[in-house]
């Protein structure tokens, strides 16, 4: 992904300005910044869900993006867990789907629960399974650990470490960040600062970093 000098504002109020980055295969980038700094807006802009006021965004060839939305939009409240996934991947057999759902802790009659009856953690697991089954090789994960229990966070962490493509993610889970991220980008006062370090190196180089996190 090559991004050159993009800026975004709402009602003439800048969200971020002059953002430039080059992202390469196997990079797992932790995007850090205080609440309201523009992390979600940056994700949505990179994905083309909203247009920047200026600048260019260009993905490489054969890139398929996947997005985890922290507000968990996109699920159909009237569908069951099984149908929500099956309708997106109709070529899969029921056995294949049930195996995938079991890996995300949906067993037995759990697969017939309506989406409307799921907890925040259960909805997160459905969305992560849908993302896993996609052909995405460039993931943008906006607070994927929210609502998850420790077992689910561990499974997500392991999957992120093994993922062969690119990941940009935000998270409040120190363990996930420490064991997954190999590059840090921080939004401060509307500017994106590319640290080009691991999380440990980032903390060592900036004594205020842990407080900001």
């Amino acid at each position: 992904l090559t991004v050159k000098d993009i800026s975004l504002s709402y009602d003439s109020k800048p969200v971020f300005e002059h953002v430039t980055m080059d992202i390469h295969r196997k990079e797992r980038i932790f995007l850090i910044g205080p609440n309201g700094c523009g992390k979600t807006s940056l994700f949505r802009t990179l994905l083309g869900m909203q247009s920047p006021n200026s600048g260019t965004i260009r993905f490489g060839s054969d890139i398929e993006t996947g997005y985890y939305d922290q507000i968990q939009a996109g699920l159909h409240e009237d569908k069951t867990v099984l149908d929500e996934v099956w309708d997106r991947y109709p070529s899969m057999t029921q056995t294949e789907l049930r195996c995938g759902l079991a890996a995300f802790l949906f067993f037995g009659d759990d697969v017939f629960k309506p989406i409307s009856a799921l907890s925040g953690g259960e909805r997160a697991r459905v969305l992560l399974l849908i993302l896993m089954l996609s052909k995405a090789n460039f993931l943008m994960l906006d607070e994927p650990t929210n609502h998850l229990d420790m077992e689910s966070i561990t499974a997500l962490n392991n999957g992120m470490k093994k993922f062969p493509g690119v990941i940009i993610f935000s998270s409040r889970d120190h363990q996930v960040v420490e064991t997954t991220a190999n590059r840090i980008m921080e939004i401060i006062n509307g500017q994106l600062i590319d640290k080009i370090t691991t999380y440990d190196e980032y903390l060592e180089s900036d004594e205020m970093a842990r407080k900001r996190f």
Side-chain angles (χ1 to χ4, degrees):
L1 170 64
T2 299
V3 177
K4 293 184 178 180
D5 201 29
I6 64 169
S7 299
L8 180 72
S9 62
Y10 296 134
D11 299 324
S12 301
K13 182 179 180 180
V15 179
F16 52 76
E17 297 180 300
H18 308 299
V19 170
T20 294
M21 65 176 80
D22 283 297
I23 297 174
H24 306 282
R25 185 181 177 188
K26 294 187 178 181
E27 289 189 318
R28 298 190 295 272
I29 298 162
F30 173 47
L31 182 63
I32 186 173
N35 290 339
C37 72
K39 296 189 295 292
T40 296
S41 294
L42 180 58
F43 282 130
R44 293 174 59 85
T45 302
L46 294 178
L47 288 162
M49 299 170 70
Q50 55 193 34
S51 299
N53 299 102
S54 61
T56 60
I57 299 168
R58 182 173 60 84
F59 284 93
S61 60
D62 300 320
I63 294 297
E64 296 286 341
T65 59
Y67 178 46
Y68 178 88
D69 183 352
Q70 66 167 307
I71 66 172
Q72 300 182 336
L75 295 175
H76 299 85
E77 300 292 323
D78 57 334
K79 291 184 179 181
T80 65
V81 171
L82 181 64
D83 286 340
E84 180 69 52
V85 181
W86 208 347
D87 286 351
R88 296 172 189 254
Y89 303 101
S91 63
M92 295 183 69
T93 66
Q94 183 168 162
T95 299
E96 290 171 332
L97 284 168
R98 294 292 292 263
C99 287
L101 287 163
F104 281 77
L105 308 180
F106 290 101
F107 304 105
D109 290 341
D110 289 344
V111 304
F112 301 115
K113 283 184 179 180
I115 296 295
S116 60
L118 299 184
S119 67
E122 289 171 327
R123 294 168 74 97
R125 298 203 308 268
V126 172
L127 287 167
L128 289 169
L129 171 59
I130 291 169
L131 199 58
M132 185 197 76
L133 293 174
S134 74
K135 295 180 180 180
N137 51 16
F138 193 121
L139 301 180
M140 298 190 200
L141 309 179
D142 192 2
E143 301 286 355
T145 55
N146 283 1
H147 308 294
L148 296 181
D149 57 26
M150 289 305 300
E151 183 180 5
S152 301
I153 289 174
T154 298
L156 173 63
N157 192 10
N158 291 335
M160 290 172 67
K161 287 189 291 185
K162 295 176 182 176
F163 185 68
V166 172
I167 305 176
I168 305 178
F169 71 100
S170 60
S171 177
R172 293 289 172 180
D173 191 287
H174 286 267
Q175 184 68 22
V176 170
V177 176
E178 289 171 352
T179 59
T180 302
N182 55 24
R183 186 174 176 184
I184 308 295
M185 293 185 180
E186 183 170 14
I187 298 178
I188 301 177
N189 298 324
Q191 304 295 313
L192 183 73
I193 301 172
D194 191 349
K195 302 294 185 176
I196 319 180
T197 63
T198 65
Y199 182 60
D200 287 339
E201 291 167 340
Y202 165 67
L203 293 179
E204 290 174 4
S205 65
D206 187 341
E207 62 182 15
M208 296 299 294
R210 186 173 290 276
K211 292 182 179 180
R212 291 200 296 271
F213 181 53

